[in-house]
Amino acid sequence: MAGCRPGAPGSEQAWLEVAQAFIQETLCPPGKEPDVQLTQLVIDCVKTTWLSQGTSQGLTLPLSYSFVSVKDLRTHQRLPCCSHLSWSSTVYQAWAQEAGPRGVPLPRERLLLLGTLTDLSGNLEQECRNGSLYIRDNTGALDCELIDLDLSWLGHLFLFPNWSYLPSPMKSPGEGHVELWDTPVPVFPLTISPGPLTPIPVVYPEMASRLLRYSQVPAQLVWHRALCPGRAYVLTELRVSKLPGHRYRVWMTSTSSQLLPLKPECVQELELELAGVPLEADPQSLPRPSSPQDKKHPGPDCLVRDSILLSYTGMVTDTLNQPAGLYELDRKLELCLAYQQFRGLRRVVRPGVRLELLDVHLLQSVGGGTRRPILAPCLRGAVLLRGFSHQVPETQFSHQVPQASLYEQLVWEHQLGLPIYLWATKALEDLACKLCPHVLRYHQFLKYSSPGDPSLGLQILAPILEVLIPPGCPGRNTHSEILEEPHHCPLQKYTQLQTPCFFPTLAFLKEEAKHRAWASFDPKTLLPLPEASHLPSWQLNQRLAWSWQCLLPSAFRPAPVLLGILVPSSRKGCLQLRDQSGSLSCLLLAQPLQPLTDPRLIGCLVRTDRFQLVIERNVRSSFPSWKELSTTDFIQKKQARVYVQFLLADALILSVPRPVLHSATSSTPRTEPSPPEGPHIEQSRLFLLSHKEALIKRNFSVPPSASSEMPQPTLSFHVLGSWLGGTQRKEGTGWGPPEPKEDENSDQKVLLLFLGSSVRWFEFLHPGHVYRLVASGPPTLMFEEGGSSCVSQHPLELAGCASCLTVQDEWTVELASSQDIPEVLGIRPTLPESSLTDLLSGNFADSLVSFSAEIVSHLWMKPGSSGTVRRCVKLTVALETADYKFPPHLDVYIEDPHLPPPLGLLPGARVHFHQLEKRVSRSHNVYCCFRSSTCVQVLHFPPDTTVSAPLPHIYLTELLQGDKAPFRATASCHVVSVFSLHLLWVCAHCTSICPQGRCPRQSPACPTQTSVSQASIRLLVEDGTAEAVVTCRNHQVAAVLGLCPSEWTSLLEIVRGPGKVALQFTGPGAQLESSAEVDEPLTLFLWTLCTSFSVLRPMVLSFELERKPSKIIPLEAPRLQRFQCGESPFLTRVNPKIRLSCLSIQEPEHPNALGALVSSC
């Protein structure tokens, strides 16, 4: 820095002239004549100190040094520095080496600092002294720290030969402090006061304690800098006082009290005789320091542990969290100063400082993420400064402020024990990394919390602290903690803390979810045997194309707490949580069945510990067969879509100061539009939303002069609604009356187009709700027909709207309040529902249907599989209806441009589909497809725990009740006969029959020669109430035939030779069909097996209807059938046989009883 340096550095005369001017300006009393004596004494003091180094190189004056005033040091010195007048360069280099390899030594400046050492910062009254020390001259006062203070130095002028200056970490001018390394050199000789003429009568601590019972000696504020443990002192002019709220009396100083070093020759013990007080000291009643021997080390099984009191001297080697008072000692211990009021030490303690700790608590295995032992002094302990640091202060904590912070509040008001406090500091540090400085400034986040101005950090931690801190916890009594015996403080006893939770960054949560999802991705688990062994290649890979995983907070240790700023994404069209690490897509519901409707949530901080972290896995694979499922080389591409879904009712919503939200709520920098010329007003208009279309990429025509490039599809959506009144203008804090319209009876319908940045409102707009469209611009009516944002009415005829409006990027949408909605409208949002009769019928008067359903399955289908032409997603849903005990199932197909599907379409989720297109397949099954007008609203997330409800156990006759019958059920029945049995081997690629296990296709040849076995059997079963034809496939055939796995494998290997065996049981014998010659023993074996009681036996059958509930062709009518009973013929109506598909087969628990029941029916 530029100090008061002479113009000619080599001229002693010039240096002296500058020195005289500096002394007159900064040290002499202002307004008086120059003090020649003071000037000479200062110069002599500087000269003597300079020559004491022994390497002055023949110079009698330090010509390279310049004088610096307090004001100049505070104003111009912005970087840490040190100055050592009495040191040579060699000594400084050796001193700088002590900073260590990790530290940066303080740079040396050649500055001369003089001033009066005082405990008054300015023209303060004595009553306002706070115990701090200052260096003062005519330009101001500067805080200073020194290791050992002699009270006789106060008020005297000194030269400070060795010192370091550290500016404020907040970079604000006028702040900072000086650290005095050596004893200051007095300009005027210090007067040594002679001892007292007569010995001072004194009372020693033992007698003083017996006089007051359990009292101790306090000190005046600045005396704490002069008192040193191990030295003896004399305190004069003491008085007895009683502390408010404390039952003990104490010795207190008066204004005339003095602190003197104890000299035995200058004192005389006062002889006292106290009636009723024994002269012998009662060791049980006297205060005594604790020792490690007083406490036994707790065993590993103890829940509540005792800390150990000890003393320790060491060096600070790292700053862990300076505002929280956490440091590292000697690379092996942690030091917590939070339980002492260490504001004075805060600016001094940094790596390189040497400390002596007296009566500090040692805590081990505290938990909460802390693994090293902790040293923590309470109010009775002492922290003594034994050496300043040689290093430049670290910059990582430059964002903190020295005022009362949230950390102090956690200790002194919320009474946190050390394990909980250490966890809370780590949590606040993680939160600061997530939110600061782009979302919040550090001082805003860690500020002291008051009722009218709550701290955001405390609000985030409050739900956890309420659980960890037991109610009715006693407050911390400062005087009792210092004076009482036995000693009680928050550090005495502690319990190891299991980390309750943590606050991960969104980027970490996203990557961890992907890692876990792919680590658990196992094709053999998704397609377990024996089912996978019968699947052809296309079906195998199709079943692996999409899968999902849901991670709950309980899946992590410790459990994560989700935290982020809620913002809409104009690029993806969904909501996101954002922090400094990135973003995470999210799906929110206000409550079950209630969508998110209030856009004021944008920019709020959302905190929740109840959520579902969803990972949708998309895999492109080419597995030839099930045998290669463990070979990952057949996976060509893997993608994962990660998002989180939760209820706002389970979340804490916190508002964040708006000025610092820009970088958190916008993914790309946005330039502010230039303000329009002329007057600028804010106007709005209410509209009732009746329909919202899908958010997809659409083509829009642009003016020919707009751009020469080919226009690209734009993410957009439309809403249909009705204006409620005219345009309103802003009046104060509210809205004025609506503008009158020329024709009040004119059509109020409007089509609103959202594209570009305005798609951010998509998640908040829902049919049946009233919203306010707000715009700011010229005084013209912006929402009226012919306004600046209206487009041609030519495409509106089909929509039945009078006008169309393009919502501009800078416009906003608000949820209308109850005062805004006209009283004539009793608006109750309801979801449109098509009747089940219309939905599952061949009536196509209205091909657009709406319904609510629960998703049963989610399947990605590739082109060419199952006859599909384009890739699509097939959802099987269970329709929700109160008229049917068993909901019918329906297939919903999603194709481009609706891919990928909206978030939340997961098995188990309840969803409302609006305006799906109803179609009928060639097999007469009703199904639905997405179209541009389709809107999807998730009503309920999948349950956290999936509990498979057992299938209903019914009689077969209940399946004849038409639409009332269950789609899936279980029945106890008996196998009457076998209709057919098919065993075959097919090519895994083209499904052709494979004799000898080889595909016969030649042009082109199949890329793989892998074959898979397939089997089917058709049975006639009855339970005494009705008959049914059941089709069993693949591994179910083995269960029907009663074959063990080895027998079933042997049978399939025999069939591999011909490639196909088909038996039809149409009469008294079996007719054989095969692709090659088959030995008679195989035919005989299968015929014998299928007609034996091993197959014709009772069983518990789980099944589903072969005819889907969505099939629209009429049921076959009952037919007349003749029966012969003896010689008497009977003619009766017989219902058509029920056709079922087997799901599983189980043996009955009591087969004999079941057979008796069936035979008796």
Side-chain angles (χ1 to χ4, degrees), residues 821-1015:
I821 302 175
E823 298 178 357
V824 296
L825 292 177
I827 301 171
R828 294 178 62 103
T830 57
L831 297 175
E833 298 280 350
S834 302
S835 68
L836 199 61
T837 303
D838 294 338
L839 184 60
L840 300 180
S841 70
N843 180 15
F844 282 86
D846 186 3
S847 63
L848 298 181
V849 294
S850 302
F851 55 86
S852 297
E854 179 180 333
I855 298 178
V856 178
S857 66
H858 182 132
L859 181 66
W860 274 77
M861 305 181 70
K862 298 180 180 179
S865 61
S866 298
T868 57
V869 179
R870 295 180 295 178
R871 65 169 187 154
C872 65
V873 171
K874 174 186 174 183
L875 302 178
T876 300
V877 300
L879 301 176
E880 294 184 357
T881 173
D883 300 332
Y884 291 79
K885 181 179 179 181
F886 305 104
H889 289 197
L890 190 69
D891 291 336
V892 177
Y893 291 88
I894 308 174
E895 298 178 344
D896 282 328
H898 299 274
L899 295 178
L903 303 182
L905 299 187
L906 306 170
R910 293 174 58 193
V911 180
H912 178 77
F913 298 94
H914 185 51
Q915 290 199 359
L916 288 172
E917 182 180 4
K918 184 177 75 170
R919 298 179 183 177
V920 177
S921 67
R922 287 175 292 182
S923 57
H924 306 287
N925 284 315
V926 174
Y927 67 97
C928 293
C929 291
F930 272 47
R931 53 174 292 168
S932 61
S933 62
T934 300
C935 182
V936 178
Q937 178 181 330
V938 177
L939 303 177
H940 207 296
F941 302 134
D944 291 344
T945 56
T946 303
V947 179
S948 299
L951 296 177
H953 198 91
I954 65 170
Y955 290 107
L956 293 179
T957 190
E958 297 181 45
L959 299 176
L960 300 174
Q961 299 176 2
D963 296 336
K964 304 294 183 180
F967 179 62
R968 291 183 176 182
T970 300
S972 299
C973 55
H974 189 280
V975 180
V976 177
S977 63
V978 176
F979 285 149
S980 65
L981 172 65
H982 289 78
L983 303 175
L984 60 156
W985 286 84
V986 298
C987 175
H989 180 74
C990 67
T991 66
S992 301
I993 301 297
C994 294
Q996 304 298 327
R998 292 188 297 271
C999 180
R1001 199 173 79 167
Q1002 297 296 329
S1003 56
C1006 285
T1008 176
Q1009 289 296 320
T1010 304
S1011 59
V1012 294
S1013 63
Q1014 293 183 349

Side-chain angles (χ1 to χ4, degrees), residues 593-595 597 688-689 766-771 815 821 826-832 937:
L593 308 180
Q594 293 186 12
T597 57
L688 170 63
L689 195 151
H766 297 279
H769 294 271
V770 177
Y771 297 90
L815 182 66
I821 302 175
I827 301 171
R828 294 178 62 103
T830 57
L831 297 175
Q937 178 181 330

Side-chain angles (χ1 to χ4, degrees), residues 476-769:
R476 192 176 181 188
N477 190 308
T478 303
H479 297 119
S480 298
E481 187 173 323
I482 297 174
L483 303 176
E484 276 193 356
E485 286 290 343
H487 176 58
H488 292 287
C489 74
L491 300 174
Q492 264 190 314
K493 295 183 179 295
Y494 65 98
T495 304
Q496 186 176 14
L497 177 67
Q498 298 294 330
T499 305
C501 63
F502 75 114
F503 296 88
T505 62
L506 296 178
F508 169 83
L509 201 61
K510 190 173 182 178
E511 289 304 316
E512 180 67 14
K514 289 183 180 180
H515 172 74
R516 294 194 179 202
W518 292 121
S520 62
F521 178 75
D522 184 7
K524 290 185 176 181
T525 302
L526 296 174
L527 296 175
L529 294 175
E531 179 187 8
S533 62
H534 304 285
L535 296 178
S537 178
W538 68 267
Q539 196 171 3
L540 193 75
N541 292 291
Q542 179 176 277
R543 297 273 291 275
L544 294 174
W546 184 90
S547 59
W548 71 293
Q549 186 177 16
C550 179
L551 297 177
L552 301 177
S554 57
F556 298 82
R557 289 291 182 273
V561 176
L562 188 66
L563 186 79
I565 299 294
L566 184 65
V567 295
S569 172
S570 300
R571 186 172 61 88
K572 295 184 177 181
C574 65
L575 291 176
Q576 292 182 335
L577 290 177
R578 289 186 187 168
D579 62 12
Q580 293 203 137
S581 68
S583 61
L584 180 62
S585 300
C586 60
L587 178 62
L588 276 69
L589 293 178
Q591 290 182 358
L593 308 180
Q594 293 186 12
L596 206 63
T597 57
D598 194 348
R600 291 179 300 176
L601 292 169
I602 295 177
C604 288
L605 183 64
V606 180
R607 176 206 183 277
T608 181
D609 53 10
R610 297 184 61 184
F611 58 89
Q612 294 178 341
L613 187 59
V614 178
I615 309 98
E616 296 186 24
R617 296 175 295 215
N618 290 93
V619 174
R620 189 173 67 193
S621 59
S622 58
F623 289 102
S625 69
W626 63 276
K627 297 179 181 179
E628 292 81 15
L629 287 180
S630 58
T631 306
T632 58
D633 295 339
F634 292 101
I635 298 179
Q636 283 88 33
K637 187 176 181 180
K638 296 192 301 184
Q639 286 183 332
R641 181 167 70 164
V642 182
Y643 58 94
V644 65
Q645 50 190 23
F646 58 92
L647 301 176
L648 281 185
D650 297 332
L652 178 65
I653 310 299
L654 302 173
S655 60
V656 178
R658 299 291 173 178
V660 296
L661 279 178
H662 174 74
S663 58
T665 57
S666 59
S667 56
T668 57
R670 296 168 60 184
T671 58
E672 295 294 333
S674 57
E677 299 180 359
H680 196 69
I681 64 170
E682 194 170 2
Q683 50 186 300
S684 68
R685 195 170 184 184
L686 294 172
F687 69 94
L688 170 63
L689 195 151
S690 57
H691 172 66
K692 178 176 71 170
E693 294 196 352
L695 178 65
I696 57 176
K697 288 188 176 182
R698 294 178 172 87
N699 291 318
F700 289 96
S701 60
V702 296
S705 59
S707 175
S708 59
E709 298 180 0
M710 181 68 66
Q712 298 295 326
T714 304
L715 192 66
S716 64
F717 69 97
H718 305 162
V719 300
L720 292 175
S722 301
W723 293 122
L724 302 180
T727 301
Q728 298 173 270
R729 301 178 187 271
K730 194 75 172 181
E731 295 182 358
T733 58
W735 296 100
E739 295 285 342
K741 294 180 62 67
E742 296 181 0
D743 186 3
E744 295 292 341
N745 297 323
S746 62
D747 193 358
Q748 295 287 301
K749 290 185 178 181
V750 63
L751 176 68
L752 298 179
L753 171 61
F754 294 79
L755 71 160
S757 296
S758 64
V759 301
R760 66 186 183 274
W761 308 110
F762 178 79
E763 291 292 338
F764 298 96
L765 299 176
H766 297 279
H769 294 271

